[in-house]
């Protein structure tokens, strides 16, 4: 028998990264040694103290039962304590913390929980492509807000049309930013809180790269801002902070109404996370090895950033120097689109990058570089791309 998928599934956006993976796999199948800079998947293992903790908890029969629906109280308390310690923000563990099987789940399910069909939310452009999945599944509308180089890839709140601001119910933001590597500022967040209160718009801060800041500067949490909890929430994931992408562990903190809605929809979709993983997450946040592990991970990405940026500068390929995340946002040559330049690098140099147009209209003209391989390999990628990038330099002189 044949079964047709629902009309709702027909509205889902095409998975951007699936096309990229297919192109890379085709080249690899042809025997090409592809240097893959298109990925966003940490390449190093989870710190030893965390997986040893997980091994211990997995062996404990008490963790083999269903979790409490809304997660272990001790995990929620650990998350709240972490935010108080790191950002000076106080949260009620029961009312202002939600446990998630990865932050993507929370970001995508939020429109189901807090919006009605036909409502509107604002999305950054360029931005994380899976935000669009939440719009489709929630049957809600979205408008995009441009992130431009001349504004350091921060949204210009004053440029958002009055009518759009009046219609918006939520505004998704992501700093440190994927794909640009830009970071926020306390001043911007103070303006954002005032703007949100003026228009009654909920702020959804996707703090996925919250641990990864460079040049001695720790990223700013939206929740550090006075009044932030009144207007929004923040998602925090273990994926990047602890190289735990495959573990699918995250939490959200903030406004009690938004947190309750997320918890309620999850009551119907999940029975929280495997208790052993929650116990390991508690240890990840609380054991004394935590800060050393984070420092090592951030230092590795900063070394890679510097190696790539310095090598690119030598051939005249100038980056928007990232202050956070593990990405570099690079302009494409005149005469090329993001897609055609990415194809050129893959076909002629065996280097895979993510075309910027996959992150939105205002991503056109850029490619995203994932700093997820060792410095020597990053330098080799730049050398392989010398001929395509010489085209870039020549065109920019004309």
């Amino acid at each position: 028998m044949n079964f047709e998928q629902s009309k709702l599934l027909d509205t889902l956006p095409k998975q951007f990264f699936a096309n990229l993976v297919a192109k890379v796999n085709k080249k690899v199948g042809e025997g090409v040694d592809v240097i893959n800079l298109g990925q966003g998947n940490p390449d190093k293992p989870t710190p030893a103290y965390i997986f040893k903790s997980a091994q211990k908890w997995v062996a404990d029969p008490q963790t083999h039962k269903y979790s409490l629906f809304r997660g272990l109280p001790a995990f929620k308390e650990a998350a709240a304590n972490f935010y108080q310690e790191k950002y000076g923000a106080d949260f009620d563990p029961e009312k202002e913390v939600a446990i998630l099987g990865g932050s993507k789940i929370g970001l995508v399910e939020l429109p189901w929980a807090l919006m009605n069909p036909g409502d509107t939310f604002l999305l950054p452009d360029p931005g994380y492509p899976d935000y669009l999945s939440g719009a489709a599944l929630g049957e809600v509308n979205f408008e995009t807000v441009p992130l431009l180089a001349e504004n350091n890839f921060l949204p210009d709140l004053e440029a958002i049309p009055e009518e759009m601001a009046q219609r918006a119910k939520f505004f998704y933001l992501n700093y440190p930013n994927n794909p640009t590597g830009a970071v926020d500022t306390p001043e911007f967040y103070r303006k954002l809180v005032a703007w949100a209160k003026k228009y009654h718009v909920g702020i959804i801060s996707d703090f996925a790269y919250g641990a990864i800041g460079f040049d001695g500067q720790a990223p700013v949490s939206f929740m550090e801002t006075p009044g932030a909890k009144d207007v929004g929430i923040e998602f925090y994931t273990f994926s990047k902070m602890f190289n735990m992408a495959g573990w699918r562990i995250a939490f959200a903190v903030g406004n009690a109404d938004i947190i309750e809605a997320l918890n309620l929809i999850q009551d119907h979709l999940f029975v929280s996370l495997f208790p052993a993983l929650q116990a390991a997450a508690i240890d990840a946040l609380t054991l004394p090895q935590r800060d050393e592990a984070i420092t090592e991970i951030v230092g590795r990405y900063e070394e890679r950033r510097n190696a790539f940026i310095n090598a690119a500068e030598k051939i005249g390929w100038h980056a928007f120097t990232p202050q956070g995340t593990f990405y570099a946002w690079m302009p494409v040559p005149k005469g090329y689109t993001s897609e055609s330049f990415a194809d050129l690098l893959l076909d002629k140099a065996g280097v895979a990058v993510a075309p910027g147009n996959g992150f939105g209209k205002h991503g056109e003209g850029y490619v995203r570089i994932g700093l997820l391989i060792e410095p020597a390999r990053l330098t080799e990628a730049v050398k392989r791309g010398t001929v395509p990038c010489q085209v870039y330099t020549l065109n920019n002189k004309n």
Side-chain angles (χ1 to χ4, degrees):
M1 296 189 296
N2 297 319
F3 298 93
E4 294 184 1
Q5 63 187 25
S6 70
K7 292 180 180 178
L8 177 61
L9 291 188
D10 288 338
T11 69
L12 291 175
K14 183 179 180 181
Q15 272 291 346
F16 161 65
F17 290 106
N19 183 50
L20 178 62
V21 169
K23 289 182 178 181
V24 171
N25 288 343
K26 182 176 183 295
K27 277 291 177 184
V28 171
E30 294 169 357
V32 176
D33 174 27
V34 175
I35 300 178
N36 190 352
L37 307 181
Q39 61 186 357
N41 197 1
D43 61 314
K44 294 296 183 180
T46 303
Y49 84 98
I50 300 174
F51 69 69
K52 288 179 180 178
S53 166
Q55 289 171 335
K56 177 188 72 174
W57 290 113
V58 167
D60 183 347
Q62 292 302 310
T63 70
H64 300 176
K65 301 177 181 180
Y66 286 126
S67 170
L68 297 173
F69 270 86
R70 300 190 175 191
L72 299 180
F75 186 11
K76 290 185 280 189
E77 184 175 350
N81 290 341
F82 174 78
Y83 255 76
Q84 203 289 322
E85 175 193 346
K86 285 290 185 181
Y87 306 114
D90 294 319
F91 299 101
D92 180 330
E94 281 304 308
K95 295 181 179 180
E96 297 174 336
V97 179
I99 302 304
L100 304 162
S103 57
K104 175 180 174 178
I105 284 178
L107 290 160
V108 172
E109 73 188 1
L110 187 141
W112 282 349
L114 287 145
M115 302 178 72
N116 296 310
D119 284 347
T120 298
F121 66 165
L122 306 182
L123 299 178
D125 181 359
Y128 179 48
D130 284 347
Y131 296 153
L132 302 176
S133 302
L137 291 171
E139 299 182 271
V140 300
N141 302 319
F142 68 90
E143 300 277 2
T144 58
V145 177
L147 308 183
L148 304 177
E150 54 264 34
N151 202 40
N152 294 316
F153 297 107
L154 290 168
D156 183 350
L157 299 176
E158 294 180 0
I160 297 174
E162 179 83 11
E163 184 271 338
M164 185 188 299
Q166 293 285 0
R167 280 190 293 112
K169 195 165 184 179
F170 291 98
F171 189 1
Y172 278 36
L173 291 170
N174 163 226
Y175 293 98
N177 182 256
N178 174 17
T180 68
V183 296
D184 50 69
T185 66
E187 179 185 9
F188 169 74
Y189 275 156
R190 286 193 293 271
K191 291 180 179 178
L192 181 63
V193 168
W195 180 90
K197 288 183 176 181
K198 177 180 178 179
Y199 292 106
H200 200 73
V201 177
I203 302 301
I204 308 302
S205 171
D206 177 6
F207 204 33
Y209 300 87
I212 306 176
F214 301 136
D215 304 317
Q217 298 297 313
V220 177
S221 164
F222 175 60
M223 288 298 154
E224 293 181 64
T225 313
K229 190 167 66 171
D230 295 335
V231 301
I233 65 168
E234 187 159 84
F235 290 100
Y236 204 101
T237 176
F238 289 62
S239 296
K240 282 76 177 180
M241 177 169 66
F242 293 120
N243 290 347
M244 294 173 68
W247 297 54
R248 309 307 303 156
I249 302 174
F251 59 86
V253 295
N255 182 275
D257 292 339
I258 301 176
I259 293 296
E260 171 58 25
L262 289 177
N263 277 327
L264 180 57
I265 194 169
Q266 293 199 131
D267 286 347
H268 294 271
L269 294 175
F270 312 107
V271 188
S272 195
L273 309 178
F274 179 25
L277 293 184
Q278 294 186 66
I282 294 169
D283 288 343
L285 290 175
T286 59
L287 291 181
Q289 299 97 315
R290 181 196 69 192
D291 290 343
E292 180 181 353
I294 293 174
T295 298
E296 180 181 347
I297 290 169
V298 173
R300 180 182 301 119
Y301 291 136
E302 185 163 358
E303 179 186 12
R304 293 173 177 185
R305 178 203 68 166
N306 294 342
F308 178 82
I309 295 298
N310 290 338
E313 285 288 335
K314 290 177 181 178
I315 65 168
W317 198 19
H318 305 297
F320 172 80
T321 302
Q323 296 301 309
T325 74
F326 41 57
Y327 304 114
W329 192 233
M330 306 295 292
V332 307
K334 292 179 181 177
Y336 287 88
T337 66
S338 295
E339 196 83 34
S340 66
F341 187 58
D343 288 342
L344 176 72
L345 289 177
L346 184 59
D347 292 339
K348 303 299 184 183
V351 176
V353 300
N357 63 311
F359 300 92
K361 181 178 71 173
H362 288 91
E364 181 55 63
Y366 296 89
V367 292
R368 192 193 72 177
I369 307 295
L371 306 171
L372 294 158
I373 55 177
E374 295 302 332
R377 193 75 161 155
L378 287 166
T379 302
E380 180 188 346
V382 174
K383 289 179 179 177
R384 287 193 192 183
T386 297
V387 173
C389 290
Q390 283 175 343
V391 173
Y392 166 78
T393 303
L394 178 62
N395 285 339
N396 274 293
K397 288 180 179 178
N398 292 337

